[in-house]
Amino acid sequence: MTADLTSPTGATAGAAPGGWTDRPTTPEGWVERARQVATTLAADAVQRDRALAVPTAEVQLLKDSGLVTLLGPVEHGGAGQDWTTALRVIRAVSAGDGSIGQLLGYHLLWFWAVRLVGTPEQVAAVEEQATKEQWFFGGAVNPRDADLVITDEGDEIVFRGEKSFSTGGRVSDVTVLEGVLDGTDKHVFAIVPTQQPAIRFKGDWDSLGQRLTESGGVVIDGVRVPWEAAAGYVRTANGWEFQPRVYNTLNVPLIQIIFANIYLGIAEGALATAATYTREKTRPWPYTPDLKETATQEFYILETYGELRSKLWAAEALTERAATLIEAINAHADTVTPEERGEAAVLIAAAKQVAIDTGLEIGTRVYDVTGARATASSVGLDIFWRNIRTHSLHDPVAHKRAEVGRYALLGELPEPTWYT
Amino acid sequence: MTADLTSPTGATAGAAPGGWTDRPTTPEGWVERARQVATTLAADAVQRDRALAVPTAEVQLLKDSGLVTLLGPVEHGGAGQDWTTALRVIRAVSAGDGSIGQLLGYHLLWFWAVRLVGTPEQVAAVEEQATKEQWFFGGAVNPRDADLVITDEGDEIVFRGEKSFSTGGRVSDVTVLEGVLDGTDKHVFAIVPTQQPAIRFKGDWDSLGQRLTESGGVVIDGVRVPWEAAAGYVRTANGWEFQPRVYNTLNVPLIQIIFANIYLGIAEGALATAATYTREKTRPWPYTPDLKETATQEFYILETYGELRSKLWAAEALTERAATLIEAINAHADTVTPEERGEAAVLIAAAKQVAIDTGLEIGTRVYDVTGARATASSVGLDIFWRNIRTHSLHDPVAHKRAEVGRYALLGELPEPTWYT
Amino acid sequence: MTADLTSPTGATAGAAPGGWTDRPTTPEGWVERARQVATTLAADAVQRDRALAVPTAEVQLLKDSGLVTLLGPVEHGGAGQDWTTALRVIRAVSAGDGSIGQLLGYHLLWFWAVRLVGTPEQVAAVEEQATKEQWFFGGAVNPRDADLVITDEGDEIVFRGEKSFSTGGRVSDVTVLEGVLDGTDKHVFAIVPTQQPAIRFKGDWDSLGQRLTESGGVVIDGVRVPWEAAAGYVRTANGWEFQPRVYNTLNVPLIQIIFANIYLGIAEGALATAATYTREKTRPWPYTPDLKETATQEFYILETYGELRSKLWAAEALTERAATLIEAINAHADTVTPEERGEAAVLIAAAKQVAIDTGLEIGTRVYDVTGARATASSVGLDIFWRNIRTHSLHDPVAHKRAEVGRYALLGELPEPTWYT
Amino acid sequence: MTADLTSPTGATAGAAPGGWTDRPTTPEGWVERARQVATTLAADAVQRDRALAVPTAEVQLLKDSGLVTLLGPVEHGGAGQDWTTALRVIRAVSAGDGSIGQLLGYHLLWFWAVRLVGTPEQVAAVEEQATKEQWFFGGAVNPRDADLVITDEGDEIVFRGEKSFSTGGRVSDVTVLEGVLDGTDKHVFAIVPTQQPAIRFKGDWDSLGQRLTESGGVVIDGVRVPWEAAAGYVRTANGWEFQPRVYNTLNVPLIQIIFANIYLGIAEGALATAATYTREKTRPWPYTPDLKETATQEFYILETYGELRSKLWAAEALTERAATLIEAINAHADTVTPEERGEAAVLIAAAKQVAIDTGLEIGTRVYDVTGARATASSVGLDIFWRNIRTHSLHDPVAHKRAEVGRYALLGELPEPTWYT
C-alpha cells in the first residue's frame, strides 16, 4: 500500500477518457454520468449475461467515464466525491447492469479500504497512485474461507492459499488480499498487482445471476508483500503491529449498504424495463366485462405499478437515510464510537433487507404487468430477479432481521463481524 | 378570517401553560415536547378509548404544551415551526394516542388553511388571533357530503346543512366550514366560532378506532359569515371573487401526508408497547427442541421485530422524503407549479400506502411476539390495529396505488381532487 | 366417569328441543342445522360480544338444536355422527359466532375425551349419561398451569389448585379436571359436576376476542373423585394404574383441528358479512378515471374478494383433508401407530397455520372492500379479526411452522406434547 | 377423427414398453409410475433445459411408461384411468420436469378433446386408434390467434394460416387444429397427422421457462380434413352442423386444472430439491449468538420449510377438491348443466391462483433455505421459478381473481370463453 507499487495498469494520470471529453463537477453530474453508463450497459446486458462475457470493455467504460476514480482526490485527477454520491452512482449503474454495478461497488469499497485500515502514509500513497493510474480493484477477501495463510519472512510477508470468491478477479488491476498471519489471529490486508504468476484465477464463476462479476475462485501461491504495505501495520518495538480503531470495522456496514444500493438499482432497472414493455407491447385482456382499450388502463396493472413503485421508493429512502450515517461517520473517522458504528450497521441491515424483499417482489411481479410474451428469452426480463436473488444470499437475511430485532427489542448493537 | 372574530377561547396571549414552564426553541425540542405529551397520553389511552371520553383535557394538554400554536408566528407567541417539524410532532403524539394525534394533525392543517386559500390580510389576522388565543380548530369539510349550502345575503353569507364527519367538533374553539354557494360551483371556506346556536354536533361518532377524534356529524343551521371572512375572496367589480393559485390545492397532499404520519406514529406506538410487553411478560415456548431461557432469545421473535422495525423505518424514511417536497413548495407558495404539486401528491400517495400496509401488518403481528395473554383487555394492544384500520379507509388505498401507478407507468400526475 | 354421577343438568333423555321439533338424520342435515344455529347466533353476536354476556341462552340453543349430543350414541338419543361432521358443524357455528363455535368445539372434545383415555366401561357410562342428560362440558385442563395437584386418599382422589383458563366454566354442566398426582408424574382426568362448592369460577375472562367462551380462571378447592372415575385408571396389584396407548395422545391433534375449524368458520363469517355490506352499502369511488356505477364493479373489490375466497377455500380443503386422517385413526383407535398419529399431527399443524394466516388476512382486508363507514361500531365487522387474532395465539404459530418444517425437511414426526 | 387416419406413429397395439415390462393396474400404481418417470426426468432436467433439447426421448419415455395412453380404453391397451388419476400423474411428472409435465398434460387434454366435442362414433374411433398406436398429441389451438381460416370445399375442409404457439409441435404424432370456417363464426377442431408437408413448425420457442414444451409457432398451409373428421359435426339437411352441449365447454376448466397441477408439481420438485440440498450442503450461520451445529437446526430454515410445505399442501388440497367436480361432471357428460360447469370453473380458477402464488413464493424462497452457493448454475435450482413464472402468465391471474370475486360477491358464474 505504498507508492512503490509498479503501475499495474500501465496508465498514466490524465489518460484520455473514451467517449467523454469532460468530467462532471457536481454530485448530480456524477449521478447523471452513471445513468449514461447504465444506458450503455443496458443495451446488451442480457446478451453479455447469457454469454458469461468477461467484462473487460465494461470496466474500461467505468474508467473512461471517470467513475473508477470517483472517490479519488481531486488533485490527482479524481472526482473527490463522497460516499453519498458513490452509493447513488452504484445504484444508477446497477439499474443498467447489476453485475457491473457490483464490480464498481466492490471496487470503490476496496479503493476506500486503505482509509479504513491504512496508515496516513499508506492512504496518501495508494489514493494518489490508484487515482492517477485508474486502478480497478478486485478482492480476495471472502471471510468464510479461512484459507489464505500468511508467512512472516522478516521484511516481507507471503500469502498462500485459496479463496472461493474473488470478485473482479480477471478484470482487476490490483487485488486486495486478506489472510491470517500463521500462528496468530492477526488479519492482514494488502493491495497487490493482479497480474503476477503467484495469482491464478480459476474462472469458475457460473451462477444464476450477477454473472459478469468475475467472482470465481483464486489460487494464491506465494504473493510477496513488504511489511510496509500491510495495511495499518506499523513497526514497533514488538515488531509489526496493527493499531486498531473503530473505523477499521466500517468495512462491513459499508459493503452492506453497497449491496443495498445494488439491489435497489437492479429493482429500478426491472421497473423501468417492465414499464417500457407494458406501454409498448402488453395487450389488454379481451375476456372480461371490464374491457379496456390499452393495457395501461387495466386497473390491476396500474395498481401493481403503484404498489411496486411505492415500495421501492420506501426502500430507497431508507437506504438514503442510512447513507447519512455513513457520511457522518466518515466526517470524523478517527473518533467514531462503537455506538455510532453499531447504529449505522443496524440501519443498514434494515435497509438491506427491505431492499431485498422489495427487489425480489419486483423481480417476480413485473411479469404480471407485462404478460406471457415477456417471457421470451429475447426479452430477458428475468435478469433482474436472477441478479437480486443471487447476491441477496450473500448472508442470510433471517439473521440480518434478528440483528435488527435485537436492537429494536433489546437495544443491543451488533458486535462487529465479517458480516455485520 | 378577520381579526374581529370575538375570542372563541376566552384565552389571552401568554396564558400560562399547564405543567410546562418554558417553550422549546428548536425543532428537536418541539419533537421532544411532543414525545412528552405522547407519554402522558399513552398512560390512559386505552381506558379513554373504551369510554369514548370527550378529549377535553387532552386538547387542553395540547394547548398547554404549546403544540397547538406550533405553526403560529413567533411574534404572537407561536413556535414558528415549519411543516417538517409539525409532521414529526403529529407522528410523535400519535405514538401515544392516535386519536389525539389526528386531532392535532387536523387542527394544524386548518390552522394552515388560511395560508392555502386566504388573502394576505386574512392570513395575518387569523394567525395572530389564533395564536394569541390558542384556538383549537375543528372542521366540517368532508367533501363527499355536498350538503352545506351557502346563501349570499349581500354583505354576509349563510351556511346551512349537514356534514357527516366533523373532526374536532365539540372540543374545538373554531370550526372551518366548507360549502357551495347556492346556484354556483363556488366553494367557500370560513372560520367560525364553534360555540354558537347555529352549530349543533350530533355526538354520534362511535367507531372501531380513532374513537376520541370527535368526528361525528354536525348540523349547521344558519351560520352567518361576513364576505370579508370568506377565505380568499376579494371584492371585485363583479362581486366577491376567489383568486385561485396552485397552492390552494395543496390541502389534499398536506392532509394526506398528515395521515401518513398518524399511521406511522400509531405503528411506532404499537412496536414500542409490544416490545415492552415481550421483554417484561412474554414467556419462552417450552415445547420445542430449540429451548430458550427468555422470550427475547426466541429466534422468531427477534426476526419478527427486526422485520417490522425495518419496514417501519422504510415507511418513515419515505414519508420524511415526501415532507421535503412539501417544505420546498411552502418556500415559494405563490409560484408553485402544477408539476411540483403533482409530484408531491404522488410521493405522498406512495408514502401513505406504504405506511398503511406497514401499520396494519404491525398492528396484527405484534401479537405474535407478545403471546396469548397479551390479548387481555387490560393490555389493550388492539388499539393500534383498530386506529390504523379505521383511518386508513379514509380513501381507498387501491385507488391511491393506481394513482401512483399512472405516474410510474405513464408519467401522469393526478388531477387535484378532494382526495388527491 | 362412571354412571353414578348425579345428573348435573337435571335433564332427562328426550327433553323437548326448543324451536326444532325434529332431528336431522344425515351428516348434511346436521351441518345445515349448524348453519341455522349460526344464523340465530349471528343476529346479535356483536352486541353480546360487547356486553360480555354469559352465553347461557346460547348453550341452551346448542342443546336444543341437538348439536351438544352430536357425537352421542344414537341409542341414547345422540346423533351418532363422526368427527368429519363434527368439525364441519363447529366450523358452521363459528361462522355465526366464534365464541359459541369454540364452546361447542371444546365441549365435543371433552365429550370425546373419555374415548381417548377412558376404559370401555367408562366410555359406555359417560356417553350414555352425557347424551341422555345433554351435559355441556367445560374443562380445566390448560397444561401450562401445573397448578392442580391431586391427593390420593385411598378410594378417592382430591383435586386442589387453580387453572388460569377454564373454557366453558360457568355455562357447563360438567367440568373435566386435569391434574398431577402429588409426588408422581401421573396425570389424571376426571369429569365432575360443575355446580359444587369446591369449584369456583373467577369470571375474569375479558379479552380482545372469543369473549363469550367463559374462559376465565377457576379455583378448585377439594373436588373429590372416586378412583373409578379417574379416566383410564384400573385397579392393579400395584394400585390404580393407567394403561397408555397411542390413541390417548390424540387429544392434541383433535383440539388443534378443532381450532383450525373455528378459525375457518370465523373467516367464512367475515367474508359473508363483508360481501353483504359491499353489495348493500359500499359506494363506488368517484375520484377516478375508471369510474364505476357500483362498488361491486370496482376491479380491486372483485379481485380482493376473489383472492380471499380462493385462499379460504384452500385452507378449508387442507383442513378437510386433515380430517380424513383423524377419521381414519378413529376407525382403529386401539391399534393406531405413532406414525399415524404423528402424520395427522403434522398435517393438522399445517392446516392450522394456513387457517390462521388466511383468517387474519381476511379479518383485516374485509375493510378494504367495505370502506370507511364499515368501521362504525354498529357494524361490528372487527369481531372476526378480534376472534381469530385472540385464539390463534393459543400456541406460537412459528413453532408450529418449525414442527411442520422438521417433518418436511427431516421426516421427523413431532413428539406428543400438550401442544403437538 | 375417424378410424381411417393412417397411423401417424407407425406403432401397433401392444408395442413393448421400454424399461417397464408391466403396467400398473391401480390408480396408485399409475401415480407411482409417474413418479418413476419423474425421477428419470429430473436427473438431467436442468441440462436439457439449458440445451433447449427437443424432447424426443422424453416423449418416448412417456409412451414406454404407459402414461400416454393413461386415459385410453382398457380394451385397446389403455390404462382406462379417470381424470382424478390423470391430474395426479401430470403433477407427479411435473415435479421431475415441468416441461414434460406440460407436454403430458396438454396431450391428455387433446386425447380427451374428442370426448368433449366429438360424436360417439368419432370418440370410439379416435380412442381406439390413438390408444393402439400410442399417438402423442400436439395442438395448434391458441385462441388469441384467430389466424387459422378454414375453407369449405364440399367433402373436405382445408386449414390455412398460422398459430403463435403450438405446444408439442415437433414431437407429436398428431396435431389438433382449431380454426374458423371462413365467413362464419363456426369453430372446427380436427386431428391430423403432424408429419405432412402442409404443417411446418417454426422451432422458435425460446423462453424463460417450460423450455422443452415445443411451444413454438406453426404454419398451416392447406391441411385437408374430411368433414367426417370435423369434431362434433354431423351432416344435416342444412349441411354439416355442430351439435352443442354444455360439456363442449369443459375444455377450458380442464386445461386450467391441468395448469394448476403442473404448477403444484413444479413446486413439489422445488421443495424436494431444496430440502435435499439443505440437508446435504447448506451450512449453519457462524456469526450469530444462536449458533447451531447444522443448517437443519436453524430455526428460520425449519420455519420456512414448514410455512412453504403447509401452503403447498393447502394448494394441493384445493386442487384435489376441484378435481372432484371435474370427475362428477365427467360422470354425466351429456346432462351437465351450465351451473355445474360454472362452479367447477370457479373452483378451478381459485385453485389455479393459489397454486401460482404458492409456486412463485416457493420458487423464490427455496434459496433462502439453501444459501448462496445454491445459486451455482450447476445446481440449477432456478428452473422451478422459471417454469412456474413462465406458464403462470398464460392468462392474467388478476382477471382470474376477479372471476372468482364475481362469484364470491355476486354469485355470478363465468361465461364460457377460451380462458374461463
Side-chain angles (χ1 to χ4, degrees), chain B residues 133-177:
Chain B
E133 301 179 1
Q134 293 191 309
W135 293 356
F136 193 77
F137 282 70
V141 296
N142 173 42
R144 288 189 78 185
D145 294 316
D147 293 343
L148 266 196
V149 176
I150 303 172
T151 316
D152 184 349
E153 302 199 351
D155 289 344
E156 285 185 333
I157 54 176
V158 186
F159 289 77
R160 284 194 185 83
E162 298 203 11
K163 287 279 182 185
S164 304
F165 305 109
S166 179
T167 292
R170 293 180 295 189
V171 295
S172 67
D173 303 307
V174 292
T175 292
V176 176
L177 295 183

Side-chain angles (χ1 to χ4, degrees), chain C residues 261-316:
Chain C
N261 280 283
I262 293 170
Y263 310 148
L264 295 174
I266 296 170
E268 282 290 343
L271 263 193
T273 305
T276 299
Y277 190 98
T278 301
R279 283 192 304 269
E280 296 179 357
K281 300 193 179 162
T282 304
R283 298 177 294 174
W285 187 241
Y287 304 99
T288 170
D290 198 11
L291 201 65
K292 306 294 185 190
E293 288 173 22
T294 68
T296 59
Q297 293 170 330
E298 292 255 20
F299 195 86
Y300 81 90
I301 289 181
L302 291 167
E303 198 182 352
T304 302
Y305 273 107
E307 184 180 355
L308 299 180
R309 176 70 277 177
S310 299
K311 286 180 173 174
L312 185 53
W313 273 335
E316 286 170 353

Side-chain angles (χ1 to χ4, degrees), chain D residues 313-337:
Chain D
W313 273 335
E316 286 170 354
L318 178 54
T319 306
E320 284 277 331
R321 183 175 153 209
T324 65
L325 300 197
I326 290 292
E327 211 60 80
I329 285 172
N330 284 341
H332 68 129
D334 288 337
T335 55
V336 55
T337 65

Side-chain angles (χ1 to χ4, degrees), chain A residues 387-406:
Chain A
N387 281 345
I388 296 179
R389 183 63 294 190
T390 297
H391 198 282
S392 61
L393 299 164
H394 180 274
D395 47 300
V397 74
H399 284 286
K400 273 275 170 290
R401 288 201 179 107
E403 193 175 303
V404 178
R406 277 188 197 94

